Amino acid sequence: MKKNLTLLFNNFEKEHLGKDVFLVPYYLGKYYNYNVTIVFPKTRTNINIPSSIDNVNLKSIQCIGNSKKELIADLNLLVYLILNAKKIDCLMRFHSTHMTALIVCIYKLLKHSGKVYVKMDINPLQINLNYKQGLSPLKKLSSIIYKYYTKSINVISCETSLVYNKLKQADSFHYNFKNKLVLMPNGFDEAKLAKTKLKEKSFSEKENIIITVGRLGDKSKNTELLLTALKSLNLKNWKVFFIGPIQESLKEKIDAFYKHYPEKKENVIFTGSIYDKEKLWTYYNRSKVFVLTSRWESYALVLNEAKRFKNYIISTDVGAASDLIEGGKYGKIIPQDSDIDLINTLDGIINNRININVYADFQGSSLSWEEMIKKIHL
């Protein structure tokens, strides 16, 4: 009889169907032959999510209280766990938080034989190396919970070498994972790609296109840096596509850009949100260059997509950028907030001073979730 893997996730939305929140339990289920269920609080924005996709059960639960508040959502999930722990053979959580530690401890008390996997999805800036065991009752309780938590988990994974090395050096009971800590980069959904009509383009078939993808105008994304760089560039026959939802704070800057540089309206294009993966991947497939100007990221899944479609990557040193660029082999790291470095790099590409045809020996399938998931031993 197949065993059951259950992910308790407190804010599941339609956009997660194409991300690791859905894909990791999906591929774990395929690899380990689990029945997979993702349990999440019902909200007004996720009410129309189907009850099952690709044999993954999507179970929304009615919440007592405001399900948009993280603590309320997690407490409702905790109630669900208490009522259903015996049916769960493997419990999965995202983020190694206080609530995750509590949920895992309660699960193991209710089902000692159950397995636990935590995917950290963590920004290195979030790692607090100063956690110390204190004398206050609250700190003593926290210490007891975390010691049981780190003992109870079977596997905990992080996504970048920067986080992995930082956690390995951390001297804190919060991060005492020992050999349970695994470096598992995020993967690419090859199964979904196979279902599309996309034919992967060679470098010679690609167009002179530069793209960036994300929440445009969000402080973390620093979209303004790329917009500023474009003011000084002669794009010649190149086009730049900004893909993603546009925040109000950026709209005035876009209008000002077009007002001062009307000649660039044909070359600098804002597409808005593209949620359809096949349509989004078409842009990656056509483009030669991908730019990420973020101030911070936990991983940046867009970098995976860029590499999968053999885009030369220009990125600040955030998330998985250094891991994926591999010491300059597949792109270039630029300093934070340096429009000069970004201008010089893009100008070098446009005027053929920088070679961006760098993927001759690269196999896209090496990024697949099928390969990544093998690192998780349950």
Side-chain angles (χ1 to χ4, degrees):
M1 192 168 102
K2 288 177 80 169
K3 293 186 176 182
N4 299 312
L5 181 150
T6 298
L7 166 64
L8 301 182
F9 193 76
N10 62 16
N11 187 25
F12 194 85
E13 300 291 341
K14 190 175 181 181
E15 66 189 64
H16 289 115
L17 294 171
K19 296 185 176 182
D20 52 348
V21 174
F22 178 84
L23 294 171
V24 172
Y26 166 70
Y27 278 105
L28 279 172
K30 285 183 67 176
Y31 189 69
Y32 283 105
N33 196 30
Y34 280 116
N35 290 315
V36 176
T37 303
I38 300 175
V39 181
F40 53 93
K42 183 184 293 183
T43 67
R44 283 179 294 176
T45 52
N46 67 22
I47 196 167
N48 293 320
I49 290 177
S51 60
S52 177
I53 296 177
D54 291 337
N55 295 319
V56 173
N57 300 310
L58 301 171
K59 185 175 181 60
S60 62
I61 57 172
Q62 201 68 45
C63 253
I64 299 172
N66 186 350
S67 59
K68 281 294 185 182
K69 292 186 177 180
E70 189 172 333
L71 178 60
I72 299 297
D74 273 326
L75 288 174
N76 279 273
L77 289 171
L78 187 54
V79 171
Y80 175 89
L81 175 68
I82 291 169
L83 296 174
N84 294 277
K86 295 291 184 183
K87 305 172 189 174
I88 299 171
D89 300 294
C90 181
L91 176 69
M92 182 178 171
R93 279 282 287 178
F94 272 73
H95 313 300
S96 186
T97 61
H98 297 323
M99 183 57 74
T100 289
L102 180 62
I103 284 173
V104 168
C105 290
I106 290 174
Y107 170 65
K108 289 294 284 187
L109 288 171
L110 294 172
K111 186 162 183 175
H112 186 70
S113 63
K115 294 182 178 181
V116 175
Y117 167 47
V118 177
K119 187 176 190 296
M120 296 190 82
D121 189 30
I122 189 171
N123 181 330
L125 299 176
Q126 295 172 315
I127 299 173
N128 185 353
L129 299 178
N130 298 316
Y131 279 131
K132 296 296 178 185
Q133 187 170 342
L135 297 175
S136 70
L138 193 60
K139 288 210 169 186
K140 284 184 178 179
L141 177 61
S142 176
S143 173
I144 292 168
I145 290 173
Y146 267 86
K147 283 178 180 177
Y148 188 61
Y149 163 62
T150 55
K151 180 182 176 181
S152 296
I153 57 178
N154 294 83
V155 186
I156 184 164
S157 69
C158 61
E159 294 76 25
T160 68
S161 57
L162 179 62
V163 169
Y164 181 81
N165 293 330
K166 199 170 182 180
L167 288 173
K168 280 292 188 182
Q169 295 167 13
D171 181 23
S172 165
F173 62 86
H174 283 78
Y175 305 122
N176 189 24
F177 304 127
K178 299 180 180 177
N179 62 346
K180 296 176 181 179
L181 178 65
V182 173
L183 173 59
M184 185 189 79
N186 284 316
F188 181 84
D189 193 0
E190 290 288 334
K192 189 174 185 70
L193 178 61
K195 293 176 182 177
T196 70
K197 297 176 182 178
L198 282 178
K199 180 182 180 297
E200 192 174 352
K201 293 179 182 291
S202 65
F203 182 81
S204 62
E205 293 172 318
K206 285 175 172 282
E207 302 168 50
N208 288 342
I209 289 176
I210 299 162
I211 64 171
T212 189
V213 181
R215 300 184 307 278
L216 306 176
D218 187 279
K219 185 177 179 181
S220 67
K221 304 303 178 185
N222 198 10
T223 313
E224 295 86 349
L225 180 62
L226 179 53
L227 201 59
T228 298
L230 293 176
K231 295 175 183 178
S232 304
L233 283 167
N234 180 357
L235 291 170
K236 296 185 177 179
N237 65 338
W238 283 73
K239 289 187 176 182
V240 181
F241 287 92
F242 288 76
I243 302 169
I246 303 169
Q247 300 214 351
E248 288 298 322
S249 59
L250 188 66
K251 289 180 179 178
E252 284 186 16
K253 294 173 183 176
I254 296 170
D255 291 339
F257 176 85
Y258 286 138
K259 182 179 179 180
H260 288 96
Y261 306 95
E263 74 280 3
K264 293 185 176 177
K265 200 155 191 177
E266 298 299 315
N267 298 77
V268 179
I269 301 151
F270 288 80
T271 69
S273 302
I274 301 177
Y275 295 115
D276 179 82
K277 277 293 184 183
E278 183 170 355
K279 185 177 179 182
L280 176 61
W281 288 343
T282 298
Y283 280 91
Y284 286 102
N285 199 28
R286 292 169 57 199
S287 67
K288 290 180 180 176
V289 178
F290 181 88
V291 177
L292 187 75
T293 52
S294 293
R295 293 185 171 95
W296 64 83
E297 295 278 354
S298 56
Y299 186 87
L301 288 167
V302 290
L303 291 172
N304 253 29
E305 294 180 309
K307 189 170 183 178
R308 174 60 186 83
F309 288 101
K310 301 177 181 177
N311 288 193
Y312 185 87
I313 298 171
I314 303 168
S315 178
T316 48
D317 194 6
V318 295
S322 291
D323 292 345
L324 292 169
I325 288 173
E326 297 183 31
K329 185 175 182 180
Y330 298 114
K332 183 179 179 182
I333 298 290
I334 58 169
Q336 286 282 356
D337 291 309
S338 176
D339 57 320
I340 298 300
D341 283 270
L342 182 55
I343 290 165
N344 290 338
T345 302
L346 290 173
D347 187 69
I349 290 168
I350 291 166
N351 291 289
N352 299 314
R353 295 192 305 274
I354 296 175
N355 175 37
I356 58 173
N357 185 7
V358 294
Y359 284 96
D361 61 347
F362 176 73
Q363 294 295 322
S365 59
S366 65
L367 295 174
S368 71
W369 275 116
E370 285 94 338
E371 288 300 313
M372 299 304 168
I373 222 73
K374 293 174 184 177
K375 301 174 188 290
I376 304 302
H377 301 291
L378 291 173

